[in-house]
Amino acid sequence: MLADVVTEIETLYDPAWAESWDAVGLVCGDPGRTVRKILFAVDPVAAVVDEALEYGADLLVTHHPLYLRGTTSVAATTFKGRVVHRLIRNDVALYTAHTNADVADPGVSDALARAVGLTGELRPLLPAADDPRRGLGRVGTLPSPVPLREFAERAASGLPRTAGPLRVAGDPGREVATVAVSGGAGDSLLGAARASGADVFLTADLRHHPASEFVEAGEGPALIDASHWATEWPWLADAAERLTSALAAKGINVEARVSRIVTDAWTSTTP
Ligand SMILES: [Zn+2]
């Protein structure tokens, strides 16, 4: 039943860990319905709903919330309302694990760290106040130091392809041994990245002023800016594996698929 699946998701990603502004948990779905197929995706957008229906999913688990702020209408007059209508009409539940998945151990940034080549132990970049084993971002060490240029190339090949390349700020020849990463928009972790002593900080959505001021201040890590979707996507397979294993241990067998639809807003770049 959906209720059992939700219990297992919330054992892995406790909703109590979410930021106060966040909106996580079950968005729609009947807790008594049977779940056989689960689709994991970053965003609850129309193309992902298409995939959920084509796959025959009973549950769609997304990282980003459909409604982050309060709403008084789910009428099918907006794209969000149409998502809700299509999901309910086709008996597909929607569940969101957002900042609670970011700070979980392991969470979103663990999967990102593995994708860009960190093989050893990882620690949170910004530990959670109530449990320093959890927290935002991760810091780890490469098996052997490499020039920034090479690390960036490896990161690009470890992450899924999106419309744009990775953007790098720093001397391409700079040696990189310690790496800080944060899935999603990592502006707020620039200070923590500097304090961590990392040689490079890889995240998404870095804006001009925070990035420029960070670089100008000097003595900090190099920066790598990736697409938002690409930095969070690696977590989906990890979450799918953990959830299906936890359910199988309870005698509940479900099939899971990870969506490969790139849901970044950006769809192309100029040559
Ligand atoms: Zn995100």
Side-chain angles (χ1 to χ4, degrees):
M1 286 195 312
L2 176 60
D4 301 315
V5 178
V6 167
T7 298
E8 292 308 319
I9 298 176
E10 298 190 344
T11 302
L12 297 169
Y13 309 108
D14 189 337
W17 299 337
E19 299 284 344
S20 56
W21 49 262
D22 206 358
V24 303
L26 198 58
V27 179
C28 66
D30 181 340
R33 296 286 297 190
T34 302
V35 174
R36 292 189 183 86
K37 287 183 171 184
I38 307 174
L39 180 68
F40 286 79
V42 173
D43 291 291
V45 294
V48 168
V49 175
D50 291 343
E51 183 180 4
L53 301 189
E54 174 266 319
Y55 176 48
D58 307 293
L59 169 63
L60 170 60
V61 175
T62 63
H63 183 49
H64 291 146
L66 179 64
Y67 291 101
L68 184 58
R69 297 180 181 86
T71 187
T72 54
S73 169
V74 293
T77 49
T78 65
F79 84 86
K80 293 188 181 189
R82 285 189 287 277
V83 164
V84 170
H85 275 70
R86 291 176 69 209
L87 290 173
I88 294 177
R89 200 182 302 127
N90 292 283
D91 242 320
V92 185
L94 174 62
Y95 188 95
T96 303
H98 190 212
T99 52
N100 48 329
D102 286 331
V103 300
D105 175 25
V108 173
S109 292
D110 291 276
L112 170 60
R114 299 304 179 211
V116 300
L118 296 175
T119 50
E121 224 169 275
L122 300 170
R123 61 184 165 87
L125 182 53
L126 191 67
D130 59 334
D131 182 355
R133 290 167 302 178
R134 297 189 291 98
L136 288 171
R138 292 294 182 274
V139 184
T141 311
L142 292 172
S144 56
V146 293
L148 176 61
R149 178 193 310 107
E150 190 177 327
F151 172 72
E153 281 165 12
R154 281 194 208 171
S157 61
L159 291 173
R161 283 189 74 83
T162 59
L166 300 187
R167 299 187 299 178
V168 182
D171 176 356
R174 175 181 180 162
E175 188 174 88
V176 170
T178 305
V179 177
V181 300
S182 180
D187 273 357
S188 67
L189 292 172
L190 283 168
R194 184 189 298 282
S196 74
D199 303 305
V200 62
F201 177 42
L202 183 150
T203 186
D205 291 353
L206 285 177
R207 291 170 298 151
H208 173 75
H209 290 294
S212 166
E213 287 170 21
F214 185 83
V215 169
E216 287 299 315
E219 292 176 13
L223 299 177
I224 298 183
D225 186 61
S227 100
H228 193 120
W229 178 87
T231 60
E232 297 180 330
W233 183 83
W235 169 72
L236 302 177
D238 186 58
E241 165 60 30
R242 282 173 204 286
L243 179 61
T244 51
S245 300
L247 288 167
K250 296 252 160 85
I252 304 168
N253 290 306
V254 296
E255 188 184 306
R257 181 199 279 191
V258 170
S259 175
R260 299 195 68 91
I261 299 172
V262 180
T263 51
D264 281 326
W266 316 118
T267 51
S268 63
T269 54
T270 54

